[in-house]
Amino acid sequence: QQQVKQSPQSLIVQKGGIPIINCAYENTAFDYFPWYQQFPGKGPALLIAIRPDVSEKKEGRFTISFNKSAKQFSLHIMDSQPGDSATYFCAANTDKLIFGTGTRLQVFP
Amino acid sequence: GAGVSQSPRYKVAKRGQDVALRCDPISGHVSLFWYQQALGQGPEFLTYFQNEAQLDKSGLPSDRFFAERPEGSVSTLKIQRTQQEDSAVYLCASSLAQGVAGGPQDTQYFGPGTRLTVL
């Protein structure tokens, strides 16, 4: 019940495409859902986050869509760039952050 | 820079050796977290400090793992009698606020990690 399931495991898009990463959870006590971006050899960095009382949040080219009834949320990256190539983790929080297994995104020019 | 720093960046240990991993959080950050990240996986919570108090150690995998933050700033994660399954990247994160309620003050800033390889 503490798991956060993330898909796909990897994603390849061309520059300008809109990759979508999906996450699902079971624990309704989760109250905060951040997304992290991790480059090789670096620690994860917060990208964008949402609370369950909001259905969508946009920050620049990054958008979170949140479906509370389905217990699912997703990250959309608009106009993707090669510099967006990284591993993305969704996470969910109660008293600790629970991370998904990650999605390796590659954006080709 | 003023980010979270960790040392060493890489550590190779022979099975059975003890290791100590250091984390220097962002100055003034109250909360400090340790995570274990296996290859190709997401970070997994190990333990949490609020100042010098260790409030949650539910993620520590065995009693061979021990963490401390005696003065409420620098933290050390110690692994005794290392085993091959301990091989992973150990990440440290700090946040300004107390707790993990979620919000701008609770943003966790991660260090680059220590890659531990146990032979």
Side-chain angles (χ1 to χ4, degrees), chain A residues 31-32 36 38 41-44 46 51 89 93-97 99-102, chain B residues 9 35 37 40-43 45 56 58 91 100-103 107-108 110-112:
Chain A
D31 58 4
Y32 177 65
Y36 283 81
Q38 186 175 30
K42 306 287 187 184
L46 180 67
R51 289 193 177 276
F89 294 96
N93 179 75
T94 50
D95 58 346
K96 58 177 67 72
L97 274 179
F99 284 83
T101 50
Chain B
R9 291 294 315 276
Y35 294 85
Q37 186 173 24
Q41 299 295 315
F45 172 83
D56 188 342
S58 62
L91 294 164
V100 288
T107 298
Q108 294 189 28
F110 282 81

Side-chain angles (χ1 to χ4, degrees), chain A:
Chain A
Q1 199 182 21
Q2 282 288 81
Q3 284 185 331
V4 178
K5 295 181 180 178
Q6 183 172 347
S7 63
Q9 192 172 22
S10 64
L11 197 49
I12 301 173
V13 300
Q14 280 200 310
K15 178 182 173 182
I18 307 176
I20 301 172
I21 304 170
N22 300 297
C23 287
Y25 64 97
E26 289 295 324
N27 188 351
T28 55
F30 288 141
D31 58 4
Y32 177 65
F33 300 87
W35 285 88
Y36 283 81
Q37 180 188 55
Q38 186 175 30
F39 293 102
K42 306 287 187 184
L46 180 67
L47 199 57
I48 186 173
I50 197 168
R51 289 193 177 276
D53 53 349
V54 176
S55 61
E56 185 176 277
K57 183 173 181 180
K58 290 183 181 181
E59 285 187 5
R61 296 184 293 107
F62 301 92
T63 299
I64 300 178
S65 297
F66 191 88
N67 185 330
K68 188 175 180 178
S69 61
K71 291 185 279 187
Q72 294 175 349
F73 58 111
S74 60
L75 176 71
H76 297 61
I77 305 175
M78 304 302 184
D79 187 27
S80 58
Q81 301 296 313
D84 296 330
S85 298
T87 300
Y88 293 81
F89 294 96
C90 61
N93 179 75
T94 50
D95 58 346
K96 58 177 67 72
L97 274 179
I98 307 297
F99 284 83
T101 50
T103 297
R104 185 181 176 196
L105 172 66
Q106 294 175 273
V107 181
F108 285 96

